[in-house]
Amino acid sequence: MKFSAPAALALLACAAAAPAFADCKGLKVDQAWIPEAPPVAPVLAGYAHLSNDSDKPVHIDAVDGADFGEVMLHQMSMDGGMMTMRPLKGLDIPAHGSVALADGGKHLMLMNPKHPFKAGDGSSIGFHCGKDVTQVPFTVRVQP
């Protein structure tokens, strides 16, 4: 495949500008919790504080948890005066930065719980990053 000189320069500029993502190295998960919900709730929300101690940004590609049919990252935002929620394809944590998973913003959607949860219960969740699919496991605790 041949590229013109301007096209080749544009491709090189894009490649140089794209961040080099680390795998999950440096990713820390703190204050992970789920608000207590009725035992028959089909969906729970999860919150946490994510920080990245590495020199490269971390990109979370996927989330999973054995106690749920599906775990996803979601974003709530105002759109035309209405609160909307949409799934996120991934989540970037900047080098030496942090991201909050919080009510009214980015958060975990814990769908189809396989059993009821009550205050004090915990569940193991895992963030997956990078081509090598490294994982950072953590525990979310149900709080009243």
Side-chain angles (χ1 to χ4, degrees), residues 11-23 52 54-61 91-95 130-131:
L11 283 172
L12 285 172
C14 287
F21 287 103
D23 52 15
N52 176 7
S54 75
D55 293 330
K56 293 183 179 178
V58 168
H59 179 76
I60 297 170
D61 298 304
L91 182 63
D92 295 333
I93 316 300
K131 295 176 188 171

Side-chain angles (χ1 to χ4, degrees), residues 4 14 18 22-23 30 38 47 70 76 78 86-87 101 105 107 109 117 121 125 138:
S4 67
C14 287
D23 52 15
D30 295 305
Y47 309 114
E70 187 174 15
M76 291 184 74
M78 290 299 287
R86 64 181 174 82
L101 299 180
H107 60 280
M109 289 298 296
F117 288 90
D121 288 347
I125 304 289
F138 61 97

Side-chain angles (χ1 to χ4, degrees), residues 88-137:
L88 297 174
K89 294 184 188 283
L91 182 63
D92 295 333
I93 316 300
H96 301 289
S98 64
V99 170
L101 299 180
D103 190 20
K106 294 175 180 81
H107 60 280
L108 295 171
M109 289 298 296
L110 308 165
M111 305 197 299
N112 303 315
K114 294 181 179 176
H115 57 82
F117 288 90
K118 63 184 183 323
D121 288 347
S123 180
S124 182
I125 304 289
F127 285 133
H128 299 270
C129 309
K131 295 176 188 171
D132 297 330
V133 192
T134 58
Q135 181 183 20
V136 172

Side-chain angles (χ1 to χ4, degrees), residues 14-83:
C14 287
F21 287 103
D23 52 15
C24 283
K25 290 180 185 147
L27 180 61
K28 306 279 186 266
V29 181
D30 295 305
Q31 305 165 19
W33 67 286
I34 303 171
E36 190 171 27
V40 295
V43 178
L44 303 173
Y47 309 114
H49 181 262
L50 313 179
S51 59
N52 176 7
D53 295 339
S54 75
D55 293 330
K56 293 183 179 178
V58 168
H59 179 76
I60 297 170
D61 298 304
V63 189
D64 66 21
D67 290 327
F68 302 94
E70 187 174 15
V71 180
M72 300 173 67
L73 288 162
H74 273 212
Q75 167 75 53
M76 291 184 74
S77 57
M78 290 299 287
D79 184 17
M82 301 241 341
M83 184 64 80

